Amino acid sequence: MAAKALDARALAALAANPGCRRRAILDGAGVDKASLAGALGSPSVFGQSQFAFTRGNAFEARVKADGGAELLRLVHEKLDRGAEPPAGAQVPDLSATGPEGRAARTSLALREATGSPGTWTLLDHPMLALDVAGSPAFLEPDAVVVHPDGGWTVVEIKSFPMLDGSADPAKVGAAARQAAVYVLALERVAARLDPAPRVRHRVLLVCPKDFSNLPTASAVDVRKQRAVTERQLARLTRIEEIADALPEGVCFSPELPAEELTAAVEAVPATYAPECLSACELAFHCRARSREDGAVTSLGRPVRAELGGLATVEDVLAAAHGEAGDPNDPAVAALRRAARLRTEALTTASSRTGRTTNTGTGTATDAGLSTATDAGVSAATAAEPGETTTDAGISRATPTRANRTTNAGTGETTDTRTSTATAAEPGETSADAGASRPTRTEASRATDTSTGGATDVWGGAATAGGPGGTIGAGRSGSVGGSGVSGCR
């Protein structure tokens, strides 16, 4: 498979994650990471849609229309107000055969423009060469402007909007890293001239204004991004050190079997971060492996930096629970304090909303339930309309209407949840406590609809009678239409 040439986006991604040895060796070897990700079973969705390409090209053509008049006006307004307004600018022809020819033609045009002070010069899509790991990488910025004083400025044109003068910070950061690569390449060209012209470290970012297609611009300082890119490129020139640590015969061809290819990729350590999702084709594969290993890098660089020497989620939890870690370590101390605060907060919340206490018996009951506990007997104490309540010291359960049926012929009401409850006929005497009689449980209650008598349960037997009826099974009394009277 032919090696894939590096471009500005790839170099900018290296600058965004300089510690990733996997990306460094794959880019240095020219491996097509998109094909590699597909062969590993984690296809990449990284890249731009066709719609974004079309919109970006249309916007760029509008910015550069009329010989770049609007673009030069923005450069003068944002970067060089002290110079003469660009009434007319030179736009040299940079066409040539192949990338090497275009790069040579660009160098010649830059030399000629620098030697003609007092005029503005616009280079549309110049070709720059940058040495990366011993081989040239050809880069194509959107535009380069030569100022009347001989200074060079990189122009980066993007299709994402600037709303009220500001844009998405993540997209601006990516554009700044990409522009820093062009600045670095321009400095290599300028170093070959005598005297060397000044390459400005403030680039011009041109974007649509608000939701229109009108261009607006902002100056972006890329000194930090340039320094990171230069340091990473210097590291790439020592890629042999990474290759020497690999097993003999390692190959990254997407045509290899999945198991062999996965082993080869895993032989090179990666440094995954959430930012990789927008910059690297292998991001999904690396994220899956990072989650399987429980690495805290999958939570983001800020979290990783705060945790110090704790590299996995398991180590973090063990340190928080006091099972491992040095108590004098600030990260461990902060985790344990956070764990204590969490426990206190949960305890306070549960004590306020989770349980209530019955002051009569001292028994604690969950407030979210509908039952109350009295003296060990579980009962629901809501009485239905017209029912006669029992002794205040007894906690009873009243079945819902859906669980009660009435025999129209006898007037007996039966709780369908338990055993049949028998209501006594008028004048009938209930059985003693030892008598064998169908009974209901403590949570049952029967009403004789012919007399209106209500029966409470005491001692396991339940019998209701009309006027003059008596109740046995541990207490006696008469049930009448006017109320309940009895003694124990």
Side-chain angles (χ1 to χ4, degrees):
M1 177 176 291
K4 183 179 179 181
L6 285 173
D7 57 10
R9 288 182 180 271
L11 293 177
L14 282 175
N17 192 5
C20 184
R21 299 169 66 89
R22 180 176 297 170
R23 169 132 200 175
I25 194 169
L26 292 177
D27 283 343
V31 176
D32 185 354
K33 293 187 295 299
S35 300
L36 184 62
L40 290 171
S42 302
S44 171
V45 296
F46 171 73
Q48 286 184 308
S49 66
Q50 188 61 38
F51 174 77
F53 276 118
T54 303
R55 184 173 184 272
N57 292 335
F59 177 69
E60 182 177 342
R62 176 164 186 164
V63 171
K64 295 179 179 178
D66 300 327
E70 181 65 17
L71 177 57
L72 292 172
R73 184 191 66 81
L74 292 172
V75 173
H76 176 264
E77 177 185 344
K78 301 294 183 179
L79 297 175
D80 200 356
R81 287 181 175 270
E84 291 291 329
Q90 298 180 4
V91 184
D93 182 14
L94 302 179
S95 59
T97 302
E100 293 86 355
R102 290 185 57 194
R105 182 68 184 91
T106 298
S107 298
L108 179 60
L110 287 170
R111 181 182 293 108
E112 293 174 351
T114 305
S116 303
T119 61
W120 291 85
T121 303
L122 173 63
L123 277 67
D124 185 11
H125 282 287
M127 182 65 70
L128 307 174
L130 182 64
D131 185 76
V132 178
S135 61
F138 295 98
L139 313 172
E140 187 177 358
D142 293 326
V144 172
V145 174
V146 180
H147 295 250
D149 62 358
W152 299 353
T153 293
V154 172
V155 177
E156 189 67 17
I157 302 175
K158 296 296 183 182
S159 59
F160 57 83
M162 283 190 185
L163 306 177
D164 295 330
S166 61
D168 186 348
K171 294 180 178 179
V172 172
R177 289 190 294 270
Q178 188 174 342
V181 177
Y182 299 137
V183 169
L184 200 59
L186 270 180
E187 290 179 346
R188 300 293 190 269
V189 177
R192 295 195 292 266
L193 301 181
D194 188 21
R198 180 169 67 99
V199 179
R200 297 171 181 255
H201 291 161
R202 297 181 69 202
V203 303
L204 188 71
L205 177 62
V206 182
C207 299
K209 183 179 181 181
D210 298 328
F211 297 101
S212 68
N213 206 32
L214 300 176
T216 187
S218 177
V220 180
D221 193 330
V222 297
R223 283 177 295 182
K224 178 180 178 182
Q225 291 83 354
R226 178 207 163 279
V228 172
T229 303
E230 185 177 29
R231 182 172 63 252
Q232 180 64 1
L233 292 181
R235 181 176 177 272
L236 276 178
T237 58
R238 298 190 302 272
I239 198 172
E240 295 83 5
E241 299 177 5
I242 303 176
D244 290 342
L246 296 177
E248 187 70 24
V250 169
C251 180
F252 300 109
S253 173
E255 299 176 358
L256 293 175
E259 296 80 5
E260 185 178 348
L261 182 60
T262 301
V265 172
E266 294 301 320
V268 186
T271 305
Y272 171 77
E275 294 82 1
C276 296
L277 293 173
S278 61
C280 182
E281 294 86 348
L282 288 175
F284 289 120
H285 174 80
C286 296
R287 180 179 67 176
R289 292 297 183 270
S290 179
R291 288 177 174 177
E292 290 176 2
D293 297 339
V296 296
T297 52
S298 61
L299 304 177
R301 290 195 182 96
V303 176
R304 177 68 185 90
E306 292 290 338
L307 292 175
L310 304 175
T312 65
V313 175
E314 183 179 354
D315 294 340
V316 172
L317 294 178
H321 297 155
E323 300 171 359
D326 183 6
N328 297 324
D329 186 345
V332 174
L335 287 170
R336 293 180 180 178
R337 181 173 182 272
R340 288 195 301 270
L341 292 176
R342 179 180 181 274
T343 302
E344 293 174 3
L346 292 177
T347 303
T348 303
S350 62
S351 65
R352 290 180 178 177
T353 61
R355 300 181 66 83
T356 59
T357 303
N358 188 325
T359 57
T361 63
T363 304
T365 307
D366 193 329
L369 303 177
S370 60
T371 57
T373 304
D374 186 1
V377 181
S378 183
T381 58
E384 296 184 5
E387 290 184 337
T388 307
T389 58
T390 58
D391 188 286
I394 302 174
S395 180
R396 61 180 177 78
T398 304
T400 61
R401 295 183 184 276
N403 293 324
R404 299 174 60 145
T405 59
T406 303
N407 190 321
T410 62
E412 296 179 352
T413 301
T414 305
D415 186 348
T416 58
R417 299 178 304 174
T418 57
S419 301
T420 303
T422 303
E425 297 294 337
E428 182 180 352
T429 305
S430 63
D432 292 333
S436 174
R437 183 178 181 85
T439 61
R440 298 187 299 139
T441 63
E442 292 88 346
S444 302
R445 181 178 179 81
T447 304
D448 190 336
T449 57
S450 62
T451 62
T455 304
D456 192 12
V457 176
W458 189 262
T463 307
T470 61
I471 300 176
R475 74 174 182 179
S476 62
S478 61
V479 181
S482 60
V484 179
S485 63
C487 60
R488 301 193 180 183

